[in-house]
Amino acid sequence: MAGPFGRSWVSSVRALADRRPSRRRERARSALSARTVAGQVFLLQAVVVVLLVAAAVVALVLQVRGDSESEARNRSVAVAESFARSPGVREALEGPDPTAELQPITEDVRKAADVDFVVVMDTRGIRFTHPLPEQIGRRFVGTIEPSLAGRVTVESVHGPLGEEVQAVVPVRGDGGEVIGLVSAGLKVQNVAGELNQHLPVIIGTGAGALALGTVGSALISRRLRRQTHGLDPAEMTKMYEHHDAVLHAVREGVLIVGGDGRLLLANDEARRLLDLPEDAEGRHVDDLGLDPRTARLLASGRVAEDEVHSAGDRLLNVNHMPTDRDGGPPGSVATLRDTTELRALSGRADVARKRLKLLYDAGVRVGTTLDVERTAEELAEFAVPRFADYVTVDLAEPVLRGEDPKPQGSGSHPLRRAAANGIREDAPFYRLGQLITFVPRTPQGAGFDTGRAIVEADMAAFRGWQTQDPDRARQIIAFGIHSMMSVPLRARGDILGMATFWRSEKPEPFDEEDLSLAEELVARAAVCIDNARRYTREHTMAVTLQRSLLPRNLPEQSALEVAYRYRPAQAGVGGDWFDVIPLPGARVALVVGDVVGHGLHAAATMGRLRTAVHNFSTLDLPPDELLWHLDELVARIDLGEEAPDGGGAAVTGATCLYAVYDPASRRCAMARAGHPEPALVHPDGSVEFPELPGGPPLGLGGLPFETAEVHLPEGSRLVLYTDGLVENRDRDIGEGLALLRRSLAGQPDRTPEETCEAVLDALMPERPSDDIALMVARTRVLSSAEVAQWDVPSDPAAVGRVRAAAAERMAEWGLEEMAFTTELILSELITNAIRYGAEPIRLRMIRDRNLICEVSDASSTSPHLRRAATTDEGGRGLFLVAQVAERWGTRYTAEGKVIWTEQPLP
């Protein structure tokens, strides 16, 4: 754009461009003096024309108005007199109903005569007719006395129709007396309407006269205005003084060039910037020693805005504009500004802007994950080719494992190449993943020990960097790499590794500005790598804790064939768990639970709940009672861990499903606390989800849990899982359950292991957002040959018979050598049931992995083991049982209790 002087100069350059010999200047002054007179004459003529036209218009308006009113009066009198003398008017007035006879006639006359009303009235002024029927019978508005005296009256009144001009004439009888009156007239607005019809003609005529006078005056003064450019001598003098002061005061060069390419004017700043000679004015621009590009622009007359031209060691901003637009004199005006320093500042600002943008983009693209190696790869990918041609990132071994790096200066530091990237893939660097021990003389070794970044501007000089591997160093130089920087990855006071930048394509070596930028870039990446390292450490700790709390091997049992899968979430370990717990009587408990959340707290809480379930299961409680105890435990944990400020991490949100399967009865008792229902695959391959009463999540309290029993035929598969299997961000739980049903259906011969694989293949997302625990149990049953039952009468004499029957069954099982100890156990248990229990009393023996003996009765009284004194006659029975049996205990049922023992088979 043009400078401040350039914008003000254009308006007066035409006059300055005509500065020629003094004779032309005198002629211009004379023209300028005449111009003032022409302006005054033009103004006077315009005023006179306006006054004349205005007077003519007023006279015409008054004349037309008077003519219109006079014509209205004459028409009203003529209509009224003509109607008053019309035949039949006197007879109608003297008739019984004047209105009926005259009203239609007056309306016809009114319309034919082009008046607004014709009214007939009696001598009292009572109307017989009127255009408005409601006015008939009312008194006439106006003066009627002169007309009653025989005269014609014309007046203007405010009547029923508004402002009216009306005439009143008498109607005479046969004897000449006045027997009635007739009035006719027009509304004033209709009279004005006639006037308005003439106004366009009047105004048009006046406007034409005014335009004709104005054009004439303009033609008279046109020649003088051209000669003086619209200025008088005083104004012209003031303009010259003003522009002369501006020309020498502004910090902007001004050049005026004539149409023939000669320099007409140059101010002091233009002479300084272009180094013009003293006699420059009047010479052609090609002869002034200007830059050829600048000279061509000044001679061309083309428009130019903010073009940059050189003048020696300066950079000039040039604006150029022709002056011959709109009939001006030929030539052009140019303004010049020195932008040398501005260009330098702009260059530095552009470098700073690019640097900030590079760092901003690095903050967006580096550190998008919490993976140490991936973050190192993102740094290498980002820096090539924006900043370097090749980048290698080497990290300390402990950092890759999530551990703290060794203190700097502690000897050799093996670094593993974690990332490498470049414009070519065949660069002769160490391979990715290789463990490298840098010697102290190398930039990497020295930088890791001292924490300082090092630049090798000229690698071909071999100032020590080659001592690591001389052969490889020569290959790197031959490959074309000539400069490198090695920057330590420092975060929170620790050095995590080294990032090395290599340059080959760009001939300039790395300099201090490059080093400063590299340090900022690497510092940001180091924080991201350290964050990933800390996350890796915490994640590893949580995974280790969680795996230590989950079952490593399933216990041996005969009731179920079990397979399981556990998949942690990508975001971190969670609180999902599962368990298989053998119970007395060849029964097995299956447990699946989920603690909401991720991290160490969820994993630790999961371990506490799993331990609690193990403890409660030793009490042989029904599923609903076990969940009730677990709920109470969670509530107490929450209460004990709540911080004084309410910021404690609560366990509320844990869910659990507890199932107990009895292979002898083939029944499974289940209860759940906020957990998804299990899936049941029948032997024929059909799938159902048993309806289990849904209890609240653990820790809420206040609501009961309920147990449901399901009959499981042999070969049925019970599928227990956590919600992470069927629910995620991309599908709801209903869709997940339908998908689970389809993955389980139609394959009755699948093993539990195959079922786990099929389910995970169908439902597990690529990046699970929640833990997944899956357990598949295929049922087995105990045949009748492995189970023996007897009803025992409440008679001490029956003990011997039952003992003998048991010995026979053991002989059938081939367990004769266990008969003595078994009979001893049965004698004591049955005798106690008869003596202290209640009927019915039953004995059940099961041959499984152990020999199981169960004596049940209807009493809820539990026996207690005690050590009898020497003088006591009793109290030694259970002590003997505990000595000869491997395990023994009591469990309660809805009908009473069961005392059981287990003996290992030979």
Side-chain angles (χ1 to χ4, degrees):
M1 297 178 61
F5 180 79
R7 288 190 294 268
S8 63
W9 176 261
V10 174
S11 61
S12 57
V13 68
R14 297 170 183 172
L16 293 177
D18 285 335
R19 295 198 308 178
R20 289 293 183 268
S22 59
R23 184 174 57 186
R24 291 184 63 189
R25 186 176 304 165
E26 291 176 0
R27 235 183 4 251
R29 290 178 179 174
S30 175
L32 289 172
S33 299
R35 190 269 178 192
T36 303
V37 174
Q40 294 175 354
V41 170
F42 173 74
L43 179 61
L44 179 60
Q45 289 177 341
V47 170
V48 170
V49 170
V50 169
L51 292 177
L52 289 175
V53 171
V57 169
V58 170
L60 287 173
V61 168
L62 293 176
Q63 180 180 354
V64 171
R65 183 177 181 85
D67 293 344
S68 298
E69 291 181 355
S70 176
E71 197 273 336
R73 291 173 179 270
N74 293 337
R75 190 189 306 173
S76 300
V77 171
V79 171
E81 287 183 340
S82 298
F83 191 83
R85 296 189 180 95
S86 297
V89 174
R90 287 182 298 173
E91 290 77 5
L93 287 173
E94 292 174 350
D97 191 359
T99 299
E101 296 183 22
L102 296 177
Q103 176 68 15
I105 300 173
T106 56
E107 285 302 297
D108 294 340
V109 170
R110 177 180 68 81
K111 295 175 181 178
D114 196 20
V115 295
D116 291 324
F117 62 89
V118 176
V119 176
V120 181
M121 69 197 86
D122 60 10
T123 55
R124 294 175 300 169
I126 303 302
R127 300 187 186 97
F128 292 139
T129 66
H130 196 277
L132 301 177
E134 63 270 16
Q135 297 295 326
I136 298 174
R138 297 183 179 179
R139 182 174 295 278
F140 176 74
V141 178
T143 304
I144 61 174
E145 288 76 8
S147 299
L148 292 174
R151 297 194 298 274
V152 176
T153 303
V154 180
E155 62 182 346
S156 296
V157 299
H158 184 77
L161 301 178
E163 294 295 330
E164 303 169 349
V165 177
Q166 62 185 14
V168 182
V169 300
V171 179
R172 299 180 182 274
D174 294 335
E177 72 279 8
V178 176
I179 63 174
L181 302 173
V182 176
S183 175
L186 288 86
K187 292 186 290 185
V188 172
Q189 64 182 16
N190 293 338
V191 177
E194 296 183 4
L195 171 63
N196 293 337
Q197 295 176 358
H198 294 83
L199 282 180
V201 177
I202 297 173
I203 294 174
T205 303
L210 178 61
L212 182 62
T214 303
V215 170
S217 299
L219 291 175
I220 294 173
S221 58
R222 179 178 180 183
R223 182 177 182 82
L224 293 177
R225 284 201 309 272
R226 286 185 176 178
Q227 292 178 348
T228 61
H229 295 288
L231 298 175
D232 60 16
E235 291 174 337
M236 189 66 98
T237 301
K238 182 178 180 180
M239 184 200 70
Y240 275 115
E241 292 174 352
H242 167 73
H243 283 290
D244 187 66
V246 171
L247 279 174
H248 296 285
V250 296
R251 296 291 297 173
E252 190 172 81
V254 179
L255 297 174
I256 298 178
V257 181
D260 55 358
R262 296 182 179 277
L263 180 65
L264 300 181
L265 183 143
N267 70 345
D268 296 343
E269 184 67 8
R271 291 176 179 273
R272 183 185 71 84
L273 294 176
L274 298 175
D275 195 20
L276 297 176
E278 291 293 333
D279 59 345
E281 294 186 2
R283 296 171 59 180
H284 198 277
V285 293
D286 292 334
D287 302 331
L288 299 178
L290 303 178
D291 181 81
R293 181 165 168 259
T294 305
R296 286 195 300 272
L297 173 64
L298 296 177
S300 66
R302 68 177 176 85
V303 177
E305 293 186 1
D306 294 329
E307 287 191 7
V308 179
H309 291 251
S310 61
D313 57 351
R314 297 187 178 93
L315 291 176
L316 304 180
N317 183 286
V318 180
N319 290 276
H320 188 247
M321 184 180 298
T323 59
D324 55 359
R325 295 181 177 180
D326 302 326
S332 61
V333 59
T335 60
L336 316 172
R337 280 182 294 165
D338 190 353
T339 60
T340 306
E341 295 182 1
L342 182 61
R343 289 286 170 177
L345 290 175
S346 176
R348 288 195 291 271
D350 187 59
V351 171
R353 181 187 60 80
K354 291 180 179 178
R355 178 172 178 168
L356 289 175
K357 186 177 186 304
L358 181 68
L359 294 175
Y360 172 79
D361 293 342
V364 173
R365 297 188 54 182
V366 179
T368 60
T369 68
L370 288 173
D371 182 85
V372 174
E373 293 190 19
R374 179 55 192 155
T375 304
E377 292 171 359
E378 289 175 345
L379 171 61
E381 292 170 358
F382 175 79
V384 177
R386 293 178 177 84
F387 184 63
D389 298 321
Y390 300 91
V391 177
T392 57
V393 181
D394 306 302
L395 298 178
E397 277 283 279
V399 173
L400 293 170
R401 297 192 299 266
E403 303 172 4
D404 293 329
K406 294 180 181 180
Q408 59 195 67
S410 59
S412 63
H413 304 286
L415 303 180
R416 190 171 297 278
R417 180 134 298 172
N421 190 34
I423 57 177
R424 291 173 56 182
E425 297 181 356
D426 57 344
F429 298 129
Y430 290 113
R431 69 181 184 277
L432 190 66
Q434 184 174 352
L435 188 64
I436 311 165
T437 302
F438 290 100
V439 299
R441 291 195 62 188
T442 61
Q444 292 87 347
F448 195 89
D449 283 336
T450 63
R452 294 185 294 104
I454 298 176
V455 178
E456 283 285 347
D458 185 8
M459 296 175 60
F462 295 109
R463 295 188 178 91
W465 70 272
Q466 77 284 357
T467 57
Q468 175 73 28
D469 189 341
D471 292 337
R472 190 179 299 275
R474 286 189 289 271
Q475 294 175 18
I476 290 175
I477 296 300
F479 191 73
I481 297 174
H482 59 83
S483 181
M484 75 175 229
M485 291 186 301
S486 191
V487 184
L489 287 155
R490 181 194 295 271
R492 301 177 178 94
D494 294 326
I495 296 180
L496 311 177
M498 299 296 296
T500 306
F501 302 87
W502 313 77
R503 179 173 285 177
S504 62
E505 296 296 317
K506 189 176 181 181
E508 295 84 4
F510 288 117
D511 54 22
E512 291 300 321
E513 288 192 4
D514 294 328
L515 180 62
S516 175
L517 179 57
E519 288 178 329
E520 290 191 40
L521 179 61
V522 170
R524 298 191 178 201
V527 173
C528 296
I529 292 175
D530 191 55
N531 290 339
R533 177 189 67 83
R534 290 168 178 260
Y535 170 78
T536 301
R537 180 183 61 191
E538 298 297 328
H539 182 72
T540 302
M541 292 172 57
V543 169
T544 302
L545 173 63
Q546 185 189 43
R547 289 181 177 174
S548 67
L549 296 174
L550 289 173
R552 300 182 182 180
N553 297 300
L554 296 181
E556 294 183 359
Q557 43 81 33
S558 303
L560 297 168
E561 180 186 356
V562 180
Y564 66 90
R565 295 291 185 274
Y566 177 80
R567 298 291 183 268
Q570 291 288 334
V573 297
D576 292 14
W577 92 93
F578 61 92
D579 223 330
V580 179
I581 306 172
L583 297 178
R587 296 170 303 131
V588 177
L590 301 177
V591 189
V592 172
D594 182 7
V595 176
V596 176
H598 297 89
L600 288 174
H601 179 264
T605 302
M606 176 270 291
R608 298 169 75 175
L609 295 183
R610 178 170 176 256
T611 302
V613 171
H614 267 273
N615 292 335
F616 290 141
S617 67
T618 60
L619 300 177
D620 217 341
L621 299 173
D624 56 341
E625 291 188 25
L626 185 140
L627 291 181
W628 182 84
H629 285 287
L630 197 61
D631 181 70
E632 287 291 309
L633 173 65
V634 171
R636 287 197 301 271
I637 291 175
D638 284 349
L639 187 61
E641 292 187 351
E642 184 176 357
D645 58 355
V651 185
T652 301
T655 66
C656 182
L657 188 148
Y658 185 79
V660 177
Y661 173 65
D662 186 349
S665 65
R666 305 182 184 183
R667 301 195 67 80
C668 181
M670 294 180 283
R672 61 191 181 104
H675 204 81
E677 296 174 339
L680 177 59
V681 184
H682 293 282
D684 61 357
S686 61
V687 181
E688 69 168 320
F689 292 92
E691 293 186 4
L692 301 183
L698 298 175
L700 296 183
L703 295 175
F705 301 98
E706 298 182 42
T707 298
E709 286 196 358
V710 180
H711 179 75
L712 300 182
E714 184 177 8
S716 300
R717 283 171 288 167
L718 190 63
V719 181
L720 284 70
Y721 53 89
T722 55
D723 59 354
L725 179 69
V726 294
E727 186 177 20
N728 56 40
R729 297 188 184 97
D730 300 326
R731 63 169 179 256
D732 58 25
I733 191 168
E735 183 181 352
L737 291 175
L739 188 57
L740 175 62
R741 181 190 294 271
R742 290 196 295 270
S743 65
L744 293 172
Q747 298 291 335
D749 298 329
R750 275 180 183 164
T751 65
E753 287 288 343
E754 294 171 344
T755 303
C756 287
E757 290 299 326
V759 169
L760 290 183
D761 290 343
L763 281 87
M764 185 172 175
E766 182 178 353
R767 295 180 62 84
S769 58
D770 194 7
D771 289 12
I772 296 175
L774 172 65
M775 186 162 55
V776 179
R778 182 159 62 183
T779 61
R780 299 169 179 158
V781 298
L782 292 175
S783 65
S784 58
E786 308 297 328
V787 181
Q789 299 186 76
W790 296 273
D791 291 330
V792 181
S794 183
D795 182 3
V799 176
R801 296 192 300 270
V802 174
R803 188 170 59 234
E808 291 177 5
R809 179 54 65 94
M810 293 181 64
E812 295 176 5
W813 288 342
L815 302 176
E816 292 88 350
E817 60 186 70
M818 299 178 63
F820 175 76
T821 57
T822 304
E823 289 181 23
L824 178 62
I825 292 172
L826 293 179
S827 295
E828 179 61 30
L829 295 183
I830 295 172
T831 301
N832 283 344
I834 294 173
R835 180 178 298 178
Y836 303 108
E839 292 184 315
I841 301 172
R842 293 185 179 90
L843 167 63
R844 184 171 73 162
M845 296 179 62
I846 302 173
R847 186 181 69 171
D848 189 31
R849 294 177 179 272
N850 298 313
L851 179 61
I852 302 169
C853 299
E854 296 179 345
V855 176
S856 62
D857 65 80
S859 172
S860 60
T861 303
S862 176
H864 296 282
L865 179 65
R866 70 184 182 90
R867 185 179 296 274
T870 305
T871 58
D872 289 344
E873 295 182 1
R876 297 177 178 83
L878 285 181
F879 181 78
L880 292 175
V881 171
Q883 294 300 313
V884 299
E886 185 179 49
R887 297 173 59 217
W888 77 280
T890 304
R891 73 173 181 270
Y892 295 92
T893 65
E895 295 80 15
K897 68 177 182 296
V898 176
I899 300 177
W900 55 269
T901 65
E902 290 183 1
Q903 301 174 75
L905 298 178

